[in-house]
Coordinates of all heavy atoms in Angstrom, one line a residue:
I752 N 102.4 85.9 91.1 CA 101.2 85.4 91.9 C 100.0 86.1 91.4 O 99.9 87.3 91.2 CB 101.4 85.8 93.4 CG1 102.7 85.1 94.0 CG2 100.2 85.4 94.2 CD1 103.0 85.6 95.4
K756 N 91.1 85.8 95.2 CA 91.1 86.2 96.6 C 92.5 85.9 97.2 O 93.0 84.8 96.9 CB 90.1 85.4 97.4 CG 88.6 85.6 97.0 CD 87.7 84.6 97.7 CE 88.0 83.2 97.4 NZ 87.1 82.3 98.2
G757 N 93.0 86.8 97.9 CA 94.2 86.5 98.7 C 95.5 86.7 98.0 O 96.6 86.3 98.6
K758 N 95.6 87.2 96.8 CA 96.9 87.3 96.1 C 97.7 88.3 96.8 O 99.0 88.1 96.8 CB 96.7 87.6 94.6 CG 95.9 88.8 94.2 CD 95.6 88.8 92.7 CE 94.7 89.9 92.3 NZ 95.2 91.3 92.3
G759 N 97.1 89.4 97.3 CA 97.9 90.4 98.0 C 98.5 89.9 99.3 O 99.7 90.0 99.6
S760 N 97.6 89.2 100.0 CA 98.1 88.6 101.3 C 99.2 87.5 101.0 O 100.1 87.4 101.8 CB 96.9 87.9 102.0 OG 96.0 88.9 102.4
T761 N 99.0 86.7 100.0 CA 100.0 85.6 99.7 C 101.3 86.3 99.3 O 102.4 85.8 99.7 CB 99.4 84.8 98.5 OG1 98.2 84.1 98.9 CG2 100.5 83.7 98.1
S762 N 101.2 87.4 98.6 CA 102.4 88.1 98.2 C 103.1 88.7 99.5 O 104.4 88.6 99.6 CB 102.1 89.3 97.3 OG 101.5 88.8 96.0
A763 N 102.3 89.2 100.4 CA 102.9 89.7 101.7 C 103.6 88.6 102.5 O 104.7 88.7 103.0 CB 101.8 90.4 102.5
F764 N 102.9 87.4 102.6 CA 103.5 86.3 103.3 C 104.8 85.8 102.6 O 105.8 85.5 103.2 CB 102.5 85.1 103.3 CG 101.5 85.1 104.4 CD1 100.1 85.0 104.1 CD2 101.9 85.1 105.7 CE1 99.2 85.0 105.1 CE2 100.9 85.1 106.7 CZ 99.6 85.0 106.4
T765 N 104.7 85.8 101.2 CA 105.9 85.3 100.5 C 107.1 86.3 100.7 O 108.2 85.8 101.0 CB 105.5 85.3 99.0 OG1 104.4 84.4 98.8 CG2 106.7 84.8 98.2
D766 N 106.8 87.6 100.7 CA 107.8 88.5 100.9 C 108.4 88.4 102.3 O 109.6 88.4 102.5 CB 107.2 90.0 100.7 CG 108.2 91.1 101.1 OD1 109.2 91.2 100.4 OD2 107.9 91.8 102.0
T782 N 102.8 95.3 94.4 CA 101.4 94.9 94.7 C 100.5 96.0 94.3 O 100.9 97.1 94.0 CB 101.2 94.6 96.2 OG1 101.5 95.8 96.9 CG2 102.0 93.4 96.6
E855 N 102.8 90.7 92.1 CA 101.3 90.5 92.1 C 100.6 91.0 90.8 O 100.8 92.1 90.4 CB 100.7 91.1 93.3 CG 99.2 90.8 93.5 CD 98.5 91.7 94.4 OE1 99.1 92.7 95.0 OE2 97.3 91.6 94.5
T877 N 96.2 81.8 93.8 CA 95.4 81.7 95.0 C 94.0 81.3 94.7 O 93.7 80.9 93.6 CB 95.5 83.0 95.7 OG1 94.8 84.0 95.0 CG2 96.9 83.5 95.9
L947 N 98.7 87.5 110.0 CA 97.4 88.0 109.4 C 96.3 87.2 110.0 O 96.3 86.0 110.0 CB 97.4 87.9 107.9 CG 98.7 88.5 107.2 CD1 98.5 88.5 105.7 CD2 98.9 90.0 107.6
A948 N 95.2 87.9 110.4 CA 94.1 87.3 111.0 C 93.1 86.7 109.9 O 93.2 87.1 108.8 CB 93.3 88.3 111.9
H951 N 90.9 82.0 106.6 CA 91.2 81.9 105.1 C 92.7 82.2 104.8 O 93.2 81.8 103.7 CB 90.3 82.9 104.3 CG 90.5 84.3 104.7 ND1 90.1 84.9 105.9 CD2 91.1 85.3 104.0 CE1 90.4 86.1 105.9 NE2 91.0 86.5 104.8
Q952 N 93.4 82.9 105.7 CA 94.8 83.1 105.5 C 95.7 81.9 105.5 O 96.8 81.9 105.1 CB 95.3 84.2 106.5 CG 94.7 85.6 106.4 CD 95.1 86.3 105.1 OE1 95.8 85.8 104.3 NE2 94.6 87.5 105.0
N955 N 96.4 81.0 102.0 CA 97.3 81.9 101.4 C 98.8 81.6 102.0 O 99.7 81.7 101.2 CB 96.9 83.3 101.7 CG 95.6 83.7 101.2 OD1 95.2 83.2 100.1 ND2 94.9 84.6 101.9
A956 N 98.8 81.4 103.3 CA 100.1 81.2 103.9 C 100.8 79.8 103.4 O 102.0 79.8 103.2 CB 100.0 81.2 105.4
A959 N 102.2 80.5 100.1 CA 103.4 81.3 100.2 C 104.6 80.5 100.6 O 105.7 80.6 100.1 CB 103.2 82.4 101.2
A1012 N 104.4 88.4 109.3 CA 103.8 89.0 108.1 C 102.8 90.1 108.5 O 102.1 90.1 109.4 CB 103.1 87.9 107.3
H1013 N 102.9 91.2 107.7 CA 102.0 92.4 107.9 C 101.4 92.8 106.6 O 102.1 93.0 105.6 CB 102.9 93.5 108.6 CG 102.1 94.7 108.9 ND1 101.2 94.8 109.9 CD2 102.1 96.0 108.3 CE1 100.7 96.0 109.9 NE2 101.2 96.7 109.0
W1014 N 100.1 92.9 106.6 CA 99.4 93.4 105.4 C 98.2 94.2 105.7 O 97.1 93.7 106.0 CB 99.0 92.2 104.5 CG 98.8 92.5 103.1 CD1 97.7 92.2 102.3 CD2 99.7 93.2 102.2 NE1 97.9 92.6 101.0 CE2 99.1 93.3 100.9 CE3 100.9 93.8 102.3 CZ2 99.7 93.9 99.8 CZ3 101.5 94.5 101.3 CH2 100.9 94.5 100.0
P1015 N 98.4 95.5 105.8 CA 97.3 96.4 106.3 C 96.0 96.3 105.5 O 96.0 96.0 104.3 CB 97.9 97.8 106.2 CG 99.4 97.6 106.1 CD 99.5 96.3 105.4
G1016 N 94.9 96.5 106.3 CA 93.6 96.6 105.6 C 93.0 95.2 105.3 O 92.0 95.2 104.5
R1017 N 93.6 94.2 105.8 CA 93.0 92.9 105.6 C 92.8 92.2 106.9 O 93.7 91.8 107.6 CB 93.9 92.0 104.7 CG 93.9 92.3 103.2 CD 94.8 93.5 102.9 NE 94.9 93.7 101.5 CZ 95.6 94.7 101.0 NH1 96.1 95.7 101.7 NH2 95.7 94.8 99.6
C1018 N 91.5 92.1 107.3 CA 91.2 91.5 108.6 C 92.1 92.1 109.7 O 92.7 91.4 110.5 CB 91.3 90.0 108.6 SG 90.1 89.1 107.6
D1034 N 88.8 95.6 106.6 CA 89.0 94.6 105.6 C 88.5 95.0 104.2 O 87.3 95.3 104.1 CB 88.4 93.3 106.0 CG 88.8 92.1 105.1 OD1 89.9 91.6 105.3 OD2 88.1 91.7 104.2

Side-chain angles (χ1 to χ4, degrees):
I752 300 170
K756 300 176 293 177
K758 56 189 171 75
S760 297
T761 300
S762 298
F764 275 126
T765 302
D766 175 63
T782 60
E855 182 198 358
T877 66
L947 306 185
H951 60 287
Q952 294 292 2
N955 300 327
H1013 180 71
W1014 201 230
R1017 284 78 170 178
C1018 292
D1034 190 78

